Amino acid sequence: MKILLGLFDHMVVQRNPKNVSEAAFSGTTEARGPLWATVRKGRNTLPDFKHRKVGQAGAGVFSGLLKGIPVGGHYQVELRVGTQHCVVQDILVGDVWLVAGQSNMSGAGLSSRATELKPDQQVRAFFMDDSWRAAQDPIHQMWDSVDEVHTQPNGSVRPTKPAMVKDGIGPGPMFGKTMKRLTGVPQGLIPCAQGGTGMSTWDPALQNEGGRSLYDAMMRRFVKNGAKVAGLIWYQGCNETNTWDAPNYTLRMQRFVKTVRSDCGIPDLPVAMVQLARVVGFATAAAPHWENVREQQRLLPQTIPNLTVVPAIDLPLDDLIHLSGAGQLRLGRRLAQAMQVLRGAPKTGRPPLELKSITSATIGNAGSLVVEFRNVVGTLQATGRPMGFWLKTTDGLAKVFDVVLEGSRAVVRTTLPENQLSEGALYYGPGLDPFCNITDGADRSLPAFGPVNIGASSAFLPFISTLRVSQFMPGVPDFSSLPAPLRKALQLKLRIFPEIFCNLHAEIAQQGSLEQTVYYVCAFRCQQAMALVIHLGYDGPVKAWYDGRAVACDPAGMNPAIPSEQKIPVAAGKGRHEVVVALGTRRGETWGLYLQLERTGLTRQLIDAGTYAMPEVLKA
């Protein structure tokens, strides 16, 4: 009699909402008939678990359900069918977590006396060799991996076990220990991360490959342990910081989380993820891509429900890209606290810090930006001079000379007069290697953000994702001479894009190396005359018309698509208006565009009260 799925020595079984087990398991046996279970804790048999029928056996297999074992442990489970039996030792009932992403999640921090965590038999991990043990770094021991995918980064040669298994600290074990403290129940970790991996290698489309894809390996480990977990912690994004992948990060994360939830059978599976930290030694040209991915990560909770993002921009490194051992421990605590808040646990604290507002003021003879944050515990604080803010203006120069922390606000003092601040954009943690040292009283960092436009007298519609799209038409050698199209020739079809990026890359790729042009058409109606700005982002040659008049052209457009690459001011009278955008395919390299409308010229009173009209996007 052999168990194959759902119940193993030293395992942590996921509790149900009633704080008891609901563990489905299965295996092989030559016996037939009822499956009986006896559950003991120490020398005592649990009430109602003495020779209790929990399943059935026949045709060489058995399956059962252990429902009702209270949280805690340590339990011994004896299973019996006829004359065959097996015993599963040292079972705990609590919470189980998927631990996934790339190297900062798998662990690369150096160990020291300060980072040593004493093993806790109530906090365990399902190690890469498919066995449960106390969770001690490194929990991602690739040299023991059952799944082939974890050997592929080394040319399909299994990694060699180091002489001393010591370094490789990640956030997982500290997350587990902190969750144990916060919940009072045992914790189990299922490590699934792999260094140097991008969203394309985590693509759920690559499952069912027998352990040869990361997603496949993660889901195999999930199923093997009973197909029940409490949530996912995730740290990934470094591999997306390039021309091709950065524009698609949000879309790929939305699809990834949606599929994980579907395959786990948990539509609201909680996800706590990490915002990218800093990096040293990369080419300066990579900086906009790191900023782009961080900003997308910051905004993901707006489009993915039941997901929270934990900043890490202030944490120290042990090498050019990996958080230090001490930094990983701080990150583990932050992830646990954020996860508990996300789960609605009482008295756990507040969600991660969020940017609330940016307003301007005159202090002394210069303009200042008052940056307010939500969810601050205690007050904002810093060791030494508060650092991390950067103001970008039209001449590209930073003009911040001091930052003063006041409760939940950071007063960013600049060398500009107040009336010029609206022309700039504010960042916290810009570029590759910013120095950021502002936290709250619970040791939680401000989120990296930017660019965030400062102008307060404007309002935005959500990104427009309902558009009419043309057939593919022959390309042109020079977009600057492209005439306004004839509507009848476009053969427009209504498209409702699932994300804010209006992505046509799949269709564009099918055109092969042909140079083609595709047109997007957006119609909207204004209840009254208003001043607007059309925000246009794109990754190919582009030309735009507003009510038949050419208003923008960039024949050299290319990746990445930045949401506000072009800001086109227009006057909109009362009634119907139309924006037409021609996008060149660049022989299959283009992906799509962003489109958003901003209303300008509003007073602060109207903005604060929300009593103003906005354009209405039409489907025809």
Side-chain angles (χ1 to χ4, degrees), residues 235 274-278 310-315 323 331 334 445:
Y235 190 162
V274 183
Q275 188 187 40
L276 286 185
R278 59 196 182 92
V310 175
I313 197 68
D314 64 318
L315 297 178
L323 296 181
L331 180 59
R334 291 178 182 180
S445 172

Side-chain angles (χ1 to χ4, degrees), residues 460-479:
F460 287 84
L461 282 181
F463 282 92
I464 297 169
S465 56
T466 299
L467 295 160
R468 299 184 77 82
V469 179
S470 76
Q471 63 177 341
F472 285 96
M473 306 181 73
V476 295
D478 182 8
F479 255 58

Side-chain angles (χ1 to χ4, degrees), residues 350 353-354 356 370-382 386 389 403-411 438-442 444 446:
R350 298 177 182 176
L353 301 182
E354 298 176 5
K356 180 180 180 181
V370 181
V371 188
E372 189 157 3
F373 295 88
R374 294 187 183 91
N375 308 323
V376 175
V377 175
T379 63
L380 294 180
Q381 55 195 34
F389 287 99
V403 176
V404 179
L405 303 179
E406 299 177 347
S408 62
R409 306 187 308 173
V411 180
I438 303 175
T439 63
D440 70 356
R444 305 180 313 156
L446 297 183

Side-chain angles (χ1 to χ4, degrees), residues 493-509:
K493 292 185 179 180
L494 182 67
R495 291 286 296 269
I496 301 176
F497 292 91
E499 316 298 343
I500 63 174
F501 184 60
C502 300
N503 186 353
L504 287 176
H505 187 63
E507 293 98 318
I508 290 172

Side-chain angles (χ1 to χ4, degrees), residues 389-463:
F389 287 99
W390 190 72
L391 176 63
K392 181 179 180 181
T393 56
T394 51
D395 60 13
L397 298 179
K399 296 178 172 62
V400 174
F401 68 84
D402 197 16
V403 176
V404 179
L405 303 179
E406 299 177 347
S408 62
R409 306 187 308 173
V411 180
V412 181
R413 304 187 66 187
T414 82
T415 60
L416 294 176
E418 183 181 356
N419 61 6
Q420 291 184 20
L421 291 175
S422 62
E423 302 174 3
L426 188 66
Y427 296 74
Y428 183 76
L432 302 173
D433 185 26
F435 180 75
C436 300
N437 66 344
I438 303 175
T439 63
D440 70 356
D443 187 39
R444 305 180 313 156
S445 172
L446 297 183
F449 64 78
V452 174
N453 293 328
I454 295 166
S457 58
S458 60
F460 287 84
L461 282 181
F463 282 92

Side-chain angles (χ1 to χ4, degrees), residues 84-106:
Q84 293 195 357
H85 80 286
C86 65
V87 177
V88 186
Q89 303 282 359
D90 191 25
I91 299 296
L92 302 176
V93 178
D95 287 329
V96 182
W97 308 93
L98 295 173
V99 179
Q102 55 187 116
S103 56
N104 266 308
M105 182 59 85
S106 66

Side-chain angles (χ1 to χ4, degrees), residues 59-71:
V61 297
F62 68 87
S63 62
L65 179 68
L66 273 177
K67 186 173 183 179
I69 302 175
V71 294

